[in-house]
Amino acid sequence: MELRDKDITYCTGVGTKRAAVLRKELNVQTALDMLYIFPYKYVDRSRFYSIREITDEDAYVQIMGEIYEWKTVGVGKSKRLTALFADSHNDTVELVWFHSTQYVKQECGRYLLFGKPSFFNRSISFVHPELTPAHKVRPEMCTGLEPHYNTSEKMKTSTLNDKAIRTIIRGLLPDLRLGIPDTLPAALREQYNLIPLTDALLQIHTPKNTTEVQQARYRLKFEELFYIQLQILSQAKNRTMKSRGFLMPIVGRHFNDFYYHHLPFALTGAQKRVIKEIQADIKSGRQMNRLLQGDVGSGKTLVALICALLAADNGYQTCIMAPTEILAKQHMQTLSSLLQGTATHVDLLTGSTTAKQRQALHDRLRNGETDILVGTHALIEDEVQFANLGLVIVDEQHRFGVAQRAKLWAKNVQPPHVLVMTATPIPRTLAMTVYGDLSVSVIDELPPGRKPIRTRHYTNMFREQVDRFIRDQITEGRQIYVVYPLIEQKKDKDGNPLPEESGATLADLQNGYERMLRTFPDCTVSMVHGKLKSREKDYQMQLFAAGKTQILVATTVIEVGVNVPNASVMIVENAERFGLSQLHQLRGRVGRGADQSYCILLTDVQLSKETRKRMEIMEATNDGFRIAEADLQLRGPGDLEGTQQSGLPFDLKIASLSTDGQVLEQARQAAINILENDPELVAPEHQMYAYQLRKLKNKAQNWAEIS
Ligand code: ADP
Ligand code: MG
């Protein structure tokens, strides 16, 4: 039976129970799927360490030595088994087992120890190390590169650990050696110097040396990125062929009046450039699909307004969508004050617009009186009809799902131009992969006169200092944010993440709030979280925005867009639970006024290496792009949890968007060449591509189309 037809259940070392876990956790159905579970690293088992050589840079080490004592310590839940292990220099480490201790033979003697060192104070310990009695150590165990596989918590509890995965995969190799059909035609392989699939899979799981690993990785990465590019580009081609766009060539009175008489400050160079790029799009005759990236505070709102004015000059309406009611209202305020004294008309539609207001609004929209409509999701659900909707601007794109946007476009016969604005910078490689041929504009310059935010990381031991700092800032008239992490995120009926949800952290939040009240008895404190009624949330936010409360304790409700220039301190609690880009977003809430602003990241004392790295990056830079790159790099492709969190529409099993930019460019070029001559992939020599694409399509949805 071919490997791709062989059910994983019947592979050596699997069985019904393990198969169920493999299916659920790794989406492995067949023997071939199993071979696509790639090692995330290799450990050189030819090297032996002595204990004094170990540093915290070493992920895994093996040591030959002697166990001279076994002990069971603690009671109940903290009960554990420990052993003392010494090497030839008589340096000692502690070995620890927390559960499954009945499987450990508690015998003293010589062992080969293999495991992951953990450091506490000055001493080193090994949790659940692999022990092989010295007389059972065979030479082949300690040669060459040993592959290591990622496993989830669930897998570990069903004894599907790293070693078990390795054993299962080894069991499949004899069949693999007989050869499997390739997924790339020989001609393409030759052109790009790619080894055959069979060899690649053999080499990735049992490499003789690092060259073999590199060859295998390159071939597999290329294949992965190539098919994603082929898919995205062929869809994008279909789209551009179909979509004609509204023509907006005129620069008229809406724009000119605002630009020459009401613009409160000079545009930055970056704002000007981006506006020109957009202008070129909307007079091209094709529908615009543009992503506008600009760090928090870079002035995207103004760009949105100017584009809306251009649309108005050509007789088209614009709608600007914000992810939350608070933000929609804030946009409304900003726009109406900017447009005061002009003839441009803005309206607001949110969930709390009354039926009566709505009626009047509908009339104004239908008869074209409204030039710009600002709104929330209500805009999509509502039976609003535009006279002539020509431009849709979506603010903070990550909060809107594809399905939601599609509904809005459905309000038109011809799709409007689309501008998606995001403050979460997307590295170039990622943008290319996720959005295919989507055009990207970048505002890479902040308005003049901003003071860079100072960021410091403190552990909980330094709470008192932090409190004192808060006190000083409040005395100087500043306001303070205190933010708690969100643990679970609820989804709406379309499967899109809801704007905010505090869930399991509510208790923490409540405690934090009470602590603030106790520590600063003479201050007023607001609290907002996702479980509050929208009216209450708004009320609390307004109190803070108006300077009536000094401290705002919140969940990530405030992550997006809220603008309170007098708030100059952002305290992030449990900062270890936030990803880099989220921390950066949070930090962007301060630094909006003339005063020096601060961001304080509070964490536990014990931190993983990765968390410490995250904190260091936050302290080191304010640049959103550098942070996004670092974020990608910290979450490697092999990191199970990482890929899930990154929000990618597809699983990358081996390629890394952070480090494989070059492979991506090559794969993309290969895909472009093929599609150029045969956009529908109908040529006989392209049937292998068409077949693979159909397989891929069943798995992923189409993200190339943002409209
Ligand atoms: P974001 O890109 O995060 O949405 P905003 O559009 O809210 O940023 O702009 C942040 C602040 O910068 C606002 O107070 C806005 O008035 C101000 N701003 C925007 N453009 C300029 C400019 N060219 N010069 C000075 N200030 C500007
Ligand atoms: Mg904004």
Side-chain angles (χ1 to χ4, degrees), residues 296 326-327 330 453-454 456 463 466-467 469-471 473-474 477-485 509 512-513 515-516 520 523-529 537-538 540-575 578 582-593 595-602:
V296 276
I326 298 171
L327 279 174
Q330 210 163 63
I453 301 162
R454 293 204 187 132
R456 285 297 298 273
R463 246 169 215 289
V466 174
D467 284 345
F469 176 74
I470 296 179
R471 160 75 56 209
Q473 289 290 310
I474 291 177
R478 302 285 95 75
Q479 289 166 282
I480 319 285
Y481 291 108
V482 184
V483 179
Y484 283 80
L509 189 75
Y513 173 67
R515 206 182 81 83
M516 284 293 151
F520 306 103
C523 291
T524 46
V525 184
S526 282
M527 176 164 72
V528 295
H529 54 77
K537 204 160 59 191
D538 266 15
Q540 293 292 335
M541 290 299 297
Q542 294 305 343
L543 283 183
F544 187 68
K548 297 203 173 97
T549 56
Q550 280 87 48
I551 302 175
L552 177 67
V553 178
T555 57
T556 45
V557 185
I558 60 148
E559 185 187 335
V560 173
V562 176
N563 193 16
V564 183
N566 190 47
S568 62
V569 181
M570 167 62 67
I571 314 258
V572 184
E573 293 276 356
N574 296 121
F578 289 102
Q582 216 176 2
L583 288 174
H584 182 63
Q585 291 293 305
L586 285 171
R587 177 166 63 183
R589 296 309 108 217
V590 296
R592 304 190 147 232
D595 310 295
Q596 176 63 51
S597 288
Y598 303 87
C599 173
I600 293 176
L601 307 170
L602 277 166

Side-chain angles (χ1 to χ4, degrees), residues 12-75:
T12 315
V14 185
T16 337
K17 205 178 137 220
R18 281 182 159 184
V21 178
L22 285 172
R23 238 174 259 136
K24 187 144 186 289
E25 293 291 298
L26 297 178
N27 197 19
V28 168
Q29 315 279 347
T30 66
L32 186 62
D33 292 341
M34 192 71 203
L35 289 170
Y36 272 85
I37 302 303
F38 300 128
Y40 68 102
K41 67 165 183 205
Y42 300 87
V43 173
D44 186 355
R45 296 283 313 238
S46 55
R47 171 160 185 202
F48 287 83
Y49 281 76
S50 55
I51 290 169
R52 59 183 63 170
E53 285 178 314
I54 303 172
T55 70
D56 59 2
E57 294 291 307
D58 294 312
Y60 283 89
V61 298
Q62 67 181 350
I63 319 167
M64 196 49 110
E66 182 113 18
I67 291 185
Y68 61 90
E69 186 182 315
W70 291 92
K71 234 199 265 176
T72 298
V73 294
V75 284

Side-chain angles (χ1 to χ4, degrees), residues 265-268 271 295-302 447-448 450 592:
F265 29 62
L267 295 179
T268 63
Q271 284 171 323
D295 217 339
V296 276
S298 61
K300 294 186 291 293
T301 317
L302 199 55
R450 297 274 171 83
R592 304 190 147 232

Side-chain angles (χ1 to χ4, degrees), residues 313-342:
D313 279 337
N314 289 274
Y316 292 100
Q317 293 165 304
T318 296
C319 111
I320 301 182
M321 301 216 294
T324 65
E325 177 144 8
I326 298 171
L327 279 174
K329 283 191 180 147
Q330 210 163 63
H331 276 324
M332 181 64 189
Q333 269 169 15
T334 310
L335 297 189
S336 10
S337 76
L338 283 168
L339 291 173
Q340 198 143 53
T342 70

Side-chain angles (χ1 to χ4, degrees), residues 675-687:
L675 289 172
E676 219 156 54
N677 299 319
D678 184 14
E680 313 269 309
L681 296 177
V682 288
E685 71 272 22
H686 292 161
Q687 286 322 292

Side-chain angles (χ1 to χ4, degrees), residues 161-205:
N161 56 12
D162 182 25
K163 200 173 166 191
I165 301 288
R166 193 157 52 237
T167 312
I168 295 170
I169 288 177
R170 288 224 168 115
L172 299 172
L173 298 183
D175 278 347
L176 177 61
R177 286 201 183 89
L178 302 175
I180 56 169
D182 214 297
T183 44
L184 294 174
L188 188 80
R189 291 206 311 265
E190 198 157 317
Q191 192 183 350
Y192 288 93
N193 223 347
L194 304 163
I195 60 175
L197 179 60
T198 306
D199 296 352
L201 290 175
L202 282 169
Q203 290 182 20
I204 199 111
H205 293 296

